[in-house]
Amino acid sequence: MLDNFYVYETPDFLDIPYITNLVMRKLETDFVLQGYVRIDATQDPYLKSIMEQFPFIGSWLNIYHTKPDGGIPLHIDGHRLAAFNIPISGCDETSQTIYYEPVGEIEKVYKEDERHYRILGEMKEVYRFALTRPALIRNDVAHDVKRYNATETRIIASWGVGGTFEECVLKFKEFFQNRG
């Protein structure tokens, strides 16, 4: 399991088939605008139980989808420092989340409709991984998602969290250590 500056993969604790079913049902009924739809986690007993175990997890579960020939442009999230991402479908080595650091001066341009800062300037890749299991990921460092020879739409459920990446990793680890 990955555990580094950019990503922390959690031990298995989620009912992935349940969450997958919930996400797919939501996508059947809601038009996807701006690349995502949302589930109010407080209205679902199972999701609410996860929020009770991990009080730092937010009340909205965003569902993002990326077509096989698509991607997510280089950005830094403007509304959260980290996110707990759950792979639903099409999540394999064909989808890479790539982190960057600046080479010289960069400009951050806030995109209100995306709630992200787009990055302008030269960047150097420093880390990449494929989201193949639930993971807390860092959102306060420039990153993008690229697709390589993908044939499926990538669908993930993404829970915003309160606090920094490091704070949330510690809380997850504390929970799993105390669980025995």
Side-chain angles (χ1 to χ4, degrees), residues 15-32 37-39 47 61-66 86-91 152-157:
D15 184 342
I16 298 296
Y18 178 86
I19 294 172
T20 298
N21 184 50
L22 188 68
V23 165
M24 299 312 271
R25 281 197 336 255
K26 182 71 171 178
L27 287 174
E28 285 174 5
T29 60
D30 285 24
F31 177 73
V32 179
V37 295
R38 304 175 95 188
I39 294 173
L47 297 180
L61 186 65
N62 292 335
I63 303 165
Y64 296 106
H65 71 91
T66 311
I86 304 161
I88 301 298
S89 178
C91 297
E152 284 186 70
T153 295
R154 175 186 187 252
I155 301 170
I156 69 165

Side-chain angles (χ1 to χ4, degrees), residues 10 46 64 83 143 158 172:
T10 62
Y46 176 69
Y64 296 106
H143 60 287
S158 182
F172 268 125

